[in-house]
Amino acid sequence: MGWIVWPLMAFLIFVAPLWLILHYRGQRNATQGLSGEEHEQLQTLVMRAEQMQERIKTLEQILDAEAPQWRQRR
């Protein structure tokens, strides 16, 4: 019985509190949502994606006008 007391005490003193602290810190970060900087980054990515979508649409229109069969070549 004595052989299990020391490892159990070490676990309860060192590992369990650290585990709980890290667990609840992670929970808090997960429920906070996006920070201001992350929200800005997301807005920038959305804007870039919309710009790329417009560029792709323009390129497809150019290709349709100059090489109508380009879609069948895939």
Side-chain angles (χ1 to χ4, degrees), residues 28-68:
R28 185 182 66 217
N29 289 341
T31 59
Q32 278 182 338
L34 297 177
S35 69
E37 182 180 329
E38 291 170 333
H39 187 68
E40 273 185 45
Q41 289 176 346
L42 182 60
Q43 291 299 328
T44 302
L45 289 173
V46 167
M47 185 179 64
R48 286 183 181 175
E50 289 171 352
Q51 288 173 346
M52 292 212 33
Q53 187 176 15
E54 287 298 318
R55 287 180 177 180
I56 290 170
K57 202 182 293 184
T58 302
L59 287 172
E60 286 179 344
Q61 289 172 350
I62 292 170
L63 282 172
D64 285 338
E66 292 185 8

Side-chain angles (χ1 to χ4, degrees), residues 5-42:
V5 172
W6 290 107
L8 183 61
M9 283 178 48
F11 177 81
L12 291 175
I13 291 172
F14 297 109
V15 178
L18 183 62
W19 187 357
L20 288 172
I21 290 168
L22 292 175
H23 171 73
Y24 285 112
R25 183 185 298 169
Q27 288 285 332
R28 185 182 66 217
N29 289 341
T31 59
Q32 278 182 338
L34 297 177
S35 69
E37 182 180 329
E38 291 170 333
H39 187 68
E40 273 185 45
Q41 289 176 346
L42 182 60

